[in-house]
Amino acid sequence: NAGVMQNPRHLVRRRGQEARLRCSPMKGHSHVYWYRQLPEEGLKFMVYLQKENIIDESGMPKERFSAEFPKEGPSILRIQQVVRGDSAAYFCASSPGLGGREQETQYFGPGTRLLVL
Amino acid sequence: RKEVEQDPGPFNVPEGATVAFNCTYSNSASQSFFWYRQDCRKEPKLLMSVYSSGNEDGRFTAQLNRASQYISLLIRDSKLSDSATYLCVVNMAGGSYIPTFGRGTSLIVHP
């Protein structure tokens, strides 16, 4: 059973370009979370999605950031017009669902390290 | 007051020592609790869930104190490989729940 997969692992963009980060959850998991981690800082929640639904995006910046989790295919975190402050590690996690500890346990992907030049 | 607070450390201990971390949470409606471990520049990995009655996994023991709203992690017989950052995670119940991560406690085990 493959774990959570993220690609690319490293992404370099120039200011103003777009960044697309992909996350494939573990098999059987229908819940996906995106987090951002700045150097020397903790994980910050960004968005929580189920298939075709954004459940909570309270941690997402209001502009330039968007996320989706289509019926088919991976979840995508999209950052438009990137700026240097977007440089960070972006982690995706998945869980089976809600309702109890087993369902809510999150498993993380290896992350995408975004560097904006 | 932050929702989930941890002492950032670092805790610097010799091999074989016993070390304990606490994590306090502010929301009394919190339902699920976890400890994760994060190595430098890697993804967080689940260490253990925290059960109401406390639970043990080898050298690791986790406990929950609902009255005082904290969870703890005890590591016995520390190994060099235990050096990492330990993250506390608290989930609230119901609705659109968002897991809240502490900033982590750094542990350094030296020879």
Side-chain angles (χ1 to χ4, degrees):
Chain A
N1 188 7
V4 179
M5 293 189 290
Q6 288 187 251
N7 67 82
R9 296 288 299 276
H10 299 273
L11 183 61
V12 180
R13 285 288 179 266
R14 296 190 180 279
R15 280 179 296 170
Q17 292 183 319
E18 178 179 287
R20 278 184 179 241
L21 287 60
R22 296 175 192 78
C23 169
S24 296
M26 283 179 71
K27 187 177 180 181
H29 287 194
S30 58
H31 294 236
V32 166
Y33 310 81
W34 285 94
Y35 297 87
R36 177 164 65 177
Q37 189 170 35
L38 295 168
E40 308 302 325
E41 293 197 10
L43 282 167
K44 298 294 185 190
F45 167 81
M46 299 182 74
V47 62
Y48 163 37
L49 310 105
Q50 295 177 28
K51 287 280 188 183
E52 299 183 283
N53 279 308
I54 295 175
I55 306 302
D56 192 306
E57 57 182 346
S58 58
M60 288 273 272
K62 293 287 186 283
E63 297 176 348
R64 301 188 298 108
F65 285 72
S66 62
E68 62 176 5
F69 189 14
K71 188 176 180 180
E72 301 291 337
S75 175
I76 306 284
L77 179 67
R78 182 183 178 203
I79 312 173
Q80 296 177 290
Q81 300 174 327
V82 295
V83 300
R84 288 210 174 116
D86 296 333
S87 296
Y90 292 83
F91 290 101
C92 165
S94 72
S95 71
L98 291 179
R101 193 175 293 103
E102 297 300 321
Q103 291 293 307
E104 295 170 5
T105 302
Q106 295 187 29
Y107 297 88
F108 282 79
T112 294
R113 278 147 187 83
L114 173 66
L115 176 62
V116 180
L117 301 177
Chain B
R1 182 181 175 186
K2 293 180 183 175
E3 290 185 8
V4 178
E5 288 198 71
Q6 296 183 252
D7 180 346
F11 285 64
N12 210 316
V13 304
E15 269 187 292
T18 295
V19 62
F21 314 132
N22 280 347
C23 166
T24 58
Y25 59 96
S26 59
N27 191 326
S28 59
S30 301
Q31 292 290 321
S32 304
F33 308 87
F34 306 86
W35 283 102
Y36 280 74
R37 168 196 171 127
Q38 186 174 27
D39 293 278
C40 186
R41 300 182 64 78
K42 298 282 186 66
E43 73 273 24
K45 292 188 176 177
L46 178 68
L47 182 64
M48 57 198 304
S49 302
V50 185
Y51 297 92
S52 296
S53 55
N55 47 301
E56 189 174 308
D57 182 1
R59 298 181 293 110
F60 298 84
T61 301
Q63 292 195 315
L64 167 64
N65 186 317
R66 284 193 183 275
S68 300
Q69 294 184 201
Y70 74 86
I71 64 172
S72 63
L73 177 68
L74 180 78
I75 306 175
R76 290 181 297 278
D77 189 22
S78 299
K79 312 290 184 191
L80 296 176
S81 57
D82 293 335
S83 299
T85 297
Y86 290 83
L87 306 173
C88 163
V89 183
V90 176
N91 291 352
M92 262 59 82
S96 166
Y97 101 101
I98 301 170
T100 304
F101 281 74
R103 289 191 62 175
T105 297
S106 175
L107 172 65
I108 301 170
V109 181
H110 57 83

